Amino acid sequence: MQKFTPSRHPITSTPANTQRGLVFSTILLLIVIVGMVLLALYLVKLDRTITHKFEGKRWDIPAKVYSQPLELYQGANVDNDTIKKWLELLNYQSNKSYERTGSFHKSGSTYYIHTRGFTYSANDIDPEQVIKLSISGGEIKSIQSTQQSKTGIIRLEPVSIGGIYPDNNEDRMVVSLDDVPQPLIDALISTEDRGFYEHKGVSIRGIGRAVVNNFTGGSRQGGSTITQQLIKNFYLNSDRTLKRKANEALMAVLLELHYSKDEILQAYLNEIYLGQNGKRSINGFGLASQFYFNKPLNELRVDQQALLVGMAKGPSVYNPRRHPEAAKDRRNTVLNNMLVLGKISQEDYDAAIKKPLGVVDKAKEGKNLFPDFLDMVKRELNNVYYADDLKNEGLTIISTLNPVTQLAADNAVEKKLGELRRRGSKTKDLQAALVSANPETGELVAVVGSGSEFTGFNRAVDAKRQVGSLLKPVIYMTALESGRYNLASSVDDSPITVELSDGKTWTPKNYDQRDHGFVPLSTALAKSYNQAAVRMGMEFGVDTFVRQLRRLGVKEEIPSYPSVLLGSVNLSPMDMLGVYQVFATGGFRTPIHSIRTVIDNQGRILQRTGLNTKRSIPPETNFLVNYALQGVVKDGTAKRIQSLGSNLNLAGKTGTTNDYRDAWFAGYSGNYVSVVWVGRDDNKSIGLSGGSGALPVWEDYMRRLKLTPVSMPAPEGIEWLWLENNSGKLSNERCPNARYLPVLANYLPREASSCALDIYQQDRAREQMAWQQEQNRINRQRQQEGLEIPNSAVIDENNGSERQADTWYERALEWF
């Protein structure tokens, strides 16, 4: 066998092998190139995703609704109780040193208040300041501040009353980095990402440490930087997949290429999830501070800031309300991290870990403090703005709500409704509505329209019920305006039967089931006589009555049948508030509104409600109606509210509907016009009249407020005269049935009472006799002095011609 000997020459590649190698290399190169292109395209896509959201609209920010601010100035009608309640609603803390915002100190009747400040718009910003004010006799006697005020008015910031939230159920309060305390930033970086200011989005050391700990059985750690956490929360989800982690790392690097560390940190502080408030999530440290402590971030202690930072690891696990011990341990871990990095001293650390958590039991943030009023604001906003804009654009709405007045309304309704419900079976299911406004501005200040839980049915505006005698002043307003009647004119309260269009008849009765015959017009209104009102209303016509309601601002459909004269028309408390607002302001109608200003998230004013006041009825007519409504309080069905103070000159009208189904009272002081309705949702009889059902609620509410008198000066078209009561004729103060009353100057009475005529004739006779005696005295004097005595005939003739120049009526009217 021949032995095989290897050749010393290398085996050379065949052309086929070379070709295969080139093909493989080319394919590999193409794969790499395609992969790089695809990776580049993918990175471009990720980059666009990052920049589009980060530079655009980052979050759907809810609209926040606030009350009006409390205006403080020398002479303002602000008492100690008002200041106390306002500070409580703002969660100000009593502190003798008052060195921090949100703190105050009271010494005797003097307050030192360190305000938080408030941004009303880009050009209207109240800085934080310390206010010193002294209160005496229910008003501010002196006031000083560390900030100069050009107007002399210092505003205590408005109270948050609720929000309008986005559909994704995320809630947040966006804060700038400048508003975040440095200790909170130190705590966050010490705990979550110590190399935040050194890495470029991804920390290799952090990833390695996490891998080692996870494989060696140490405490499980994530290697994510703050930037990666922001990417996960802002752009991605929490899936534990390699693809998601890879995307997270790539996007973190890209994010850091585009934006500064401060921009990234600020976004993280506002994005981080820190708990749940019912259906809504708590996002960002600004909102979390309010949710857990009812304070802004800059008023938190270091240990409280550390608690919030600790919750970032797991808001459910470290929820301080549910798991206080776990939350405290986590807080102390964060504090220890700060100590290790030298961000706090050992002394501060020792003091901080001994502090209680300090979390409030129930958060005010996210709760609609006054849901009925907030509902009114939403309804008004919906007339102007799209729903998505209200939910997502971060609007700030300054409402007209006065929180102290609203609390008075809530407490009055709760107290008096409770008393009425205990009366019997008819009243156990009683409900009520109360609306109150500033008559001069039309600003709504308080609303009660639902039960203990708001269900969406707001009786203040949704309960369309018959209003009964609340409309009677409109009937008498027509009569007075016509000039046929004055306040003392006689009206007939005898039985009346009205024939209806279908051939049937209607015979109204008085509530006391009695006939009162001829009574003065003012008495008929004060005592709320039905028969007199119907007779008067039919004299001028139902169509005239409807037109008058339109003048007063009623927009609802009004039936044209006669029973509408007694209030058989379905109107809401808000409708009636508008009517009585006109009476309270001398005849001017200013639309009732619940919003002062709407501001966008850039501080620009989108809406400012100005005074849209129009003359509704003549001032002289309104003056007479106001006088008549004051008579209802002085001598009529609302006499009980005289207890609030006879000097207040209160005016108003009770209302009761058929079978005692609805009880109403509408009335006003100088600074509040308010309407109360009491009834049952099923429209069954409650057995209460306006005076026994609604009036006690109104009285209790108004008693809780600081009222000013009704002061309505008589306009030019008014004359004051003595009139005979129940005839309206001219009279004299010496007559037994005379009243000194305002009368329209264009329609003065042309007749005088027999008593006044007798007195007038006697007075004229005495005047004539006195004149004659004086002339005789003068003549005797001239005769004694030897002077010529003028021709008496000439004197008599001149005197007679002077008297003939005046009519008897003109001379008598001046005398009367």
Side-chain angles (χ1 to χ4, degrees):
M1 179 180 293
Q2 188 175 6
K3 186 177 180 181
F4 174 75
T5 304
S7 175
R8 293 181 181 179
H9 299 285
I11 300 174
T12 58
S13 300
T14 64
N17 289 336
T18 302
Q19 188 175 7
R20 283 194 297 270
L22 287 172
V23 170
F24 178 77
S25 298
T26 301
I27 292 173
L28 183 62
L29 180 62
L30 288 172
I31 290 173
V32 171
I33 292 173
V34 171
M36 292 180 67
V37 170
L38 291 175
L39 178 61
L41 291 174
Y42 188 64
L43 289 174
V44 169
K45 177 185 176 183
L46 291 179
D47 191 72
R48 287 180 177 176
T49 300
I50 290 169
T51 56
H52 176 74
K53 186 170 183 180
F54 207 84
E55 294 178 2
K57 182 183 174 184
R58 297 181 185 178
W59 302 286
D60 289 335
I61 305 174
K64 297 293 184 180
V65 183
Y66 295 87
S67 73
Q68 59 177 271
L70 179 61
E71 294 188 342
L72 306 172
Y73 53 90
Q74 188 169 342
N77 289 322
V78 176
D79 55 20
N80 281 291
D81 191 47
T82 298
I83 292 288
K84 178 184 176 183
K85 288 179 180 176
W86 207 285
L87 292 175
E88 286 176 356
L89 288 167
L90 291 172
N91 197 36
Y92 272 53
Q93 303 298 308
S94 177
N95 187 325
K96 284 188 177 181
S97 60
Y98 55 88
E99 78 279 2
R100 299 174 68 93
T101 60
S103 62
F104 74 97
H105 175 60
K106 183 176 184 293
S107 176
S109 61
T110 300
Y111 285 85
Y112 300 86
I113 305 171
H114 195 156
T115 71
R116 297 182 176 122
F118 192 84
T119 299
Y120 296 91
S121 69
N123 299 318
D124 187 9
I125 300 173
D126 282 349
E128 70 167 88
Q129 57 191 304
V130 176
I131 304 169
K132 178 186 177 183
L133 60 90
S134 297
I135 296 176
S136 178
E139 67 177 37
I140 297 177
K141 292 300 182 184
S142 64
I143 184 167
Q144 296 173 291
S145 174
T146 54
Q147 295 286 342
Q148 187 174 7
S149 172
K150 294 180 180 179
T151 63
I153 298 174
I154 300 171
R155 294 177 294 194
L156 195 55
E157 61 261 32
V159 175
S160 175
I161 64 173
I164 304 172
Y165 298 96
D167 294 333
N168 61 14
N169 286 324
E170 286 188 3
D171 192 8
R172 60 173 41 82
M173 185 180 294
V174 177
V175 295
S176 68
L177 198 60
D178 294 336
D179 295 328
V180 179
Q182 187 60 44
L184 189 146
I185 296 174
D186 294 338
L188 181 66
I189 292 175
S190 300
T191 304
E192 293 295 323
D193 187 1
R194 294 183 181 182
F196 174 70
Y197 286 107
E198 286 75 40
H199 63 65
K200 300 302 180 183
V202 177
S203 172
I204 304 300
R205 182 183 300 176
I207 294 173
R209 184 174 63 251
V211 170
V212 170
N213 282 340
N214 292 339
F215 274 103
T216 59
S219 60
R220 292 187 63 84
Q221 293 186 17
S224 297
T225 64
I226 283 177
T227 311
Q228 286 176 275
Q229 292 180 48
L230 175 61
I231 291 293
K232 181 182 70 174
N233 295 330
F234 204 49
Y235 299 97
L236 304 174
N237 53 44
S238 299
D239 293 343
R240 292 178 174 271
T241 63
L242 186 59
K243 178 183 177 182
R244 202 272 297 165
K245 292 295 292 183
N247 281 336
E248 179 185 295
L250 289 172
M251 294 175 78
V253 173
L254 291 171
L255 189 69
E256 295 242 2
L257 287 174
H258 283 291
Y259 305 105
S260 69
K261 291 289 185 179
D262 283 352
E263 289 176 298
I264 292 169
L265 183 59
Q266 178 170 295
Y268 177 88
L269 291 167
N270 287 300
E271 171 63 26
I272 186 70
Y273 170 72
L274 290 170
Q276 199 72 22
N277 182 15
K279 295 181 179 180
R280 292 192 294 273
S281 62
I282 301 299
N283 295 84
F285 285 95
L287 184 65
S289 177
Q290 295 286 354
F291 181 66
Y292 292 107
F293 301 105
N294 281 346
K295 295 179 182 179
L297 276 174
N298 63 352
E299 293 178 16
L300 299 186
R301 304 188 306 263
V302 172
D303 60 286
Q304 293 171 325
Q305 296 172 25
L307 175 64
L308 295 182
V309 170
M311 291 178 64
K313 184 177 181 181
S316 297
V317 176
Y318 301 111
N319 186 324
R321 292 191 179 105
R322 294 183 179 180
H323 310 292
E325 290 304 318
K328 191 171 186 179
D329 290 342
R330 179 63 181 163
R331 178 201 70 177
N332 292 346
T333 298
V334 174
L335 290 168
N336 185 66
N337 291 337
M338 298 177 71
L339 176 65
V340 169
L341 293 186
K343 299 302 180 181
I344 57 173
S345 66
Q346 184 68 48
E347 183 181 1
D348 290 340
Y349 169 78
D350 293 338
I353 62 174
K354 295 178 182 178
K355 295 283 187 182
L357 293 179
V359 175
V360 295
D361 293 335
K362 294 182 179 180
K364 292 181 180 178
E365 182 58 42
K367 300 294 184 183
N368 293 335
L369 193 58
F370 303 115
D372 296 337
F373 195 97
L374 184 63
D375 178 61
M376 301 298 295
V377 173
K378 290 179 180 178
R379 292 177 190 234
E380 190 170 332
L381 288 169
N382 286 333
N383 293 329
V384 182
Y385 300 94
Y386 292 112
D388 286 345
D389 292 340
L390 295 177
K391 296 176 182 178
N392 307 329
E393 297 300 327
L395 301 179
T396 296
I397 296 106
I398 306 298
S399 76
T400 61
L401 172 81
N402 183 323
V404 175
T405 305
Q406 179 67 57
L407 286 173
D410 290 337
N411 293 333
V413 171
E414 181 181 8
K415 177 185 176 183
K416 289 301 177 181
L417 206 57
E419 294 176 3
L420 293 171
R421 283 172 176 167
R422 290 190 290 270
R423 287 194 177 187
S425 59
K426 285 186 176 182
T427 60
K428 67 177 182 178
D429 295 322
L430 214 57
Q431 297 293 346
L434 185 155
V435 288
S436 185
N438 180 320
E440 295 296 331
T441 64
E443 290 189 338
L444 197 63
V445 295
V447 175
V448 179
S450 66
S452 56
E453 293 294 330
F454 185 73
T455 61
F457 182 70
N458 190 340
R459 293 176 185 84
V461 67
D462 294 326
K464 304 288 187 178
R465 303 292 288 253
Q466 293 193 6
V467 296
S469 300
L470 290 194
L471 297 183
K472 284 178 181 173
V474 181
I475 297 172
Y476 294 108
M477 178 184 78
T478 305
L480 293 167
E481 189 175 19
S482 72
R484 300 184 208 169
Y485 295 87
N486 59 46
L487 291 170
S489 295
S490 182
V491 296
D492 188 1
D493 188 54
S494 61
I496 180 174
T497 298
V498 179
E499 186 172 342
L500 305 179
S501 58
D502 59 2
K504 296 181 180 179
T505 59
W506 174 54
T507 306
K509 297 292 184 183
N510 288 325
Y511 284 107
D512 61 5
Q513 299 301 313
R514 295 171 56 194
D515 307 323
H516 305 94
F518 287 95
V519 295
L521 182 147
S522 58
T523 300
L525 178 60
K527 303 295 185 181
S528 200
Y529 294 152
N530 287 342
Q531 294 171 163
V534 171
R535 192 179 299 277
M536 183 73 70
M538 293 305 296
E539 178 180 336
F540 293 93
V542 176
D543 290 342
T544 300
F545 178 75
V546 173
R547 285 195 299 271
Q548 294 286 53
L549 289 178
R550 294 281 181 246
R551 288 173 70 190
L552 293 166
V554 177
K555 297 179 181 178
E556 295 291 324
E557 188 66 28
I558 302 170
S560 59
Y561 40 76
S563 60
V564 74
L565 297 168
L566 295 184
S568 62
V569 54
N570 294 327
L571 298 173
S572 70
M574 281 295 295
D575 291 329
M576 295 314 305
L577 185 67
V579 171
Y580 278 78
Q581 181 268 335
V582 176
F583 295 150
T585 56
F588 290 98
R589 179 159 62 92
T590 303
I592 305 296
H593 56 280
S594 61
I595 296 172
R596 282 189 175 181
T597 52
V598 178
I599 305 102
D600 70 9
N601 59 4
Q602 301 299 315
R604 295 171 298 199
I605 295 176
L606 302 180
Q607 173 186 333
R608 175 179 280 142
T609 305
L611 288 180
N612 184 23
T613 302
K614 296 180 180 178
R615 166 65 67 188
S616 185
I617 54 179
E620 57 271 19
T621 301
N622 191 86
F623 186 83
L624 300 183
V625 175
N626 172 73
Y627 189 91
L629 290 173
Q630 289 174 325
V632 177
V633 175
K634 290 178 181 177
D635 302 303
T637 56
K639 193 172 183 178
R640 64 173 288 166
I641 63 173
Q642 281 281 84
S643 62
L644 294 173
S646 58
N647 63 315
L648 291 173
N649 301 321
L650 300 174
K653 184 70 185 74
T654 54
T656 311
T657 60
N658 285 341
D659 299 325
Y660 294 92
R661 289 188 175 94
D662 303 276
W664 293 83
F665 186 76
Y668 50 90
S669 64
N671 52 344
Y672 293 101
V673 54
S674 310
V675 176
V676 171
W677 166 84
V678 172
R680 286 173 53 152
D681 289 338
D682 59 12
N683 203 28
K684 291 183 178 179
S685 174
I686 60 175
L688 299 172
S689 66
S692 61
L695 191 59
V697 180
W698 193 95
E699 178 187 22
D700 188 273
Y701 164 63
M702 298 290 272
R703 190 180 298 279
R704 297 170 187 266
L705 307 177
K706 189 175 179 63
L707 305 179
T708 60
V710 175
S711 179
M712 202 173 292
E716 288 185 3
I718 289 293
E719 298 281 352
W720 285 85
L721 296 173
W722 285 97
L723 303 179
E724 182 179 55
N725 208 26
N726 209 13
S727 77
K729 297 178 180 180
L730 292 167
S731 188
N732 182 271
E733 60 183 315
R734 288 171 281 174
C735 291
N737 201 25
R739 293 179 63 193
Y740 195 58
L741 295 170
V743 184
L744 295 180
N746 290 336
Y747 300 104
L748 299 178
R750 310 288 301 186
E751 296 182 65
S753 68
S754 57
C755 169
L757 281 174
D758 290 342
I759 296 175
Y760 171 73
Q761 290 169 358
Q762 293 171 11
D763 284 355
R764 294 300 292 169
R766 280 195 294 270
E767 289 174 7
Q768 180 65 28
M769 183 177 296
W771 179 84
Q772 189 62 54
Q773 290 175 347
E774 178 63 15
Q775 290 301 311
N776 291 338
R777 186 190 65 77
I778 292 173
N779 289 340
R780 286 195 298 272
Q781 180 70 26
R782 294 178 67 87
Q783 189 177 25
Q784 291 175 0
E785 295 175 359
L787 298 175
E788 182 181 355
I789 299 175
N791 190 323
S792 60
V794 174
I795 294 175
D796 289 341
E797 181 178 298
N798 290 338
N799 188 56
S801 64
E802 277 185 6
R803 295 186 181 183
Q804 288 170 4
D806 297 325
T807 65
W808 175 91
Y809 175 73
E810 289 170 335
R811 296 197 310 273
L813 187 62
E814 183 178 347
W815 178 86
F816 284 110

